Amino acid sequence: MTRPPTAAQRRVIDSADPVTGRLKGTQTQLAALVRRGLAFRHPRPPHDHFLTPAGHRIREAPPQAPAVAVATPPAPGVFTARIGGEENASEAARAPGPSRTREVHSAWQGLLELRRMTDPHGATDRPCAWERTHLVQAAALALEAAGHPPAGRDGTDGYRVRATPQPEAVAVHAPDTELLRACAATLERAGWQAGEHTEPRTRARYLLASPRRT
C-alpha cells in the first residue's frame, strides 16, 4: 500500500476525463503520477498523460481512501472485478446497479487506454503486460464489463474465473454450456484465446483462456 496522493495530485486525478483517463496538470504533477504508477505518458506526440487502472481506481474511491499500487492486492473500497463465488466480495460489488456499472465501465475503459498507450502501434485488441501479470482479474473484468453475471457465494449461478498451474492461463467455469460459450466469445473479442476442456474427475466443461500475443 502506498501513500495517498497529495491534494494537488488528487485534483489532477479527479479532473481526468471520465472515459479515456486523459490528464491535465503541470509537468511536475504528471511526472510524479507516472513515478507512482498512476499515470502513463503516451509514447507518441503530443505525449499526453493518461490514468492507469490504478489511477482510475483512486479516482473512483473516496478522497480519503489510500492509494493502491497496480501490483498489490486491492484494499477495501477499491475497485476489483468480480471473479465469481468469492466469499469476501463487498456488498457494493455483489449488488448490481448503476454505481457498479459505472465502476466496471470506467475500469474497462482505463484498461483499453492502458493497452493503447503500451502497444507500439496503439492497438487495443490484445492484452497488455498488466493483464498478463493479473490474469484472473483481467479475464474477470472483460467478462463483467460485457455484462456476464458472476457466480454468487454458492458458485452456481454465473461465471467463476480461477488461476491454473499454467503460467499464462486461467480457467473459467459456468453452470451451463450456453453461458460458458458466451464467456468464450467475450474473451476472444477482448483479445484472449479460449478453448473448452473437460475436467477428468467431474466431467464438467470449462474454458482454458490465455491472452493472445498476435
Side-chain angles (χ1 to χ4, degrees):
M1 189 173 295
T2 65
R3 292 177 293 103
T6 65
Q9 291 171 348
R10 179 74 200 211
R11 286 194 294 272
V12 173
I13 292 172
D14 289 343
S15 64
D17 185 282
V19 175
T20 66
R22 183 173 179 269
L23 293 163
K24 293 182 179 179
T26 68
Q27 287 302 310
T28 299
Q29 291 169 335
L30 296 173
L33 292 175
V34 170
R35 287 195 299 272
R36 299 180 65 168
L38 303 177
F40 271 84
R41 182 175 183 266
H42 199 281
R44 295 196 300 273
H47 301 299
D48 287 333
H49 289 73
F50 297 84
L51 290 176
T52 63
H56 275 281
R57 290 197 295 270
I58 288 178
R59 186 176 182 276
E60 294 292 331
Q64 70 274 19
V68 177
V70 171
T72 61
V78 177
F79 175 85
T80 182
R82 288 290 313 277
I83 65 172
E86 55 267 75
E87 291 289 332
N88 58 349
S90 68
E91 291 297 331
R94 284 197 298 268
S99 177
R100 180 64 183 177
T101 299
R102 286 193 300 270
E103 290 179 355
V104 173
H105 174 76
S106 177
W108 178 246
Q109 292 301 318
L111 188 55
L112 291 179
E113 186 59 30
L114 183 57
R115 289 183 179 185
R116 186 177 73 83
M117 289 187 296
T118 56
D119 186 276
H121 305 291
T124 61
D125 59 348
R126 291 185 300 277
C128 61
W130 183 89
E131 291 169 272
R132 297 179 189 281
T133 57
H134 298 77
L135 293 170
V136 172
Q137 277 293 312
L141 177 56
L143 294 174
E144 189 175 3
H148 296 298
R153 289 180 178 175
D154 60 3
T156 61
D157 56 353
Y159 69 78
R160 290 178 294 118
V161 184
R162 297 294 183 266
T164 72
Q166 299 190 33
E168 276 209 1
V170 295
V172 180
H173 305 268
D176 56 67
T177 302
E178 182 179 358
L179 178 57
L180 191 68
R181 291 178 178 171
C183 288
T186 291
L187 289 171
E188 287 169 359
R189 287 193 299 270
W192 295 63
Q193 52 191 18
E196 286 191 39
H197 295 265
T198 301
E199 171 63 42
R201 184 173 58 84
T202 65
R203 309 306 298 170
R205 299 288 286 173
Y206 69 97
L207 297 177
L208 196 62
S210 302
R212 194 174 68 240
R213 289 192 177 276
T214 59

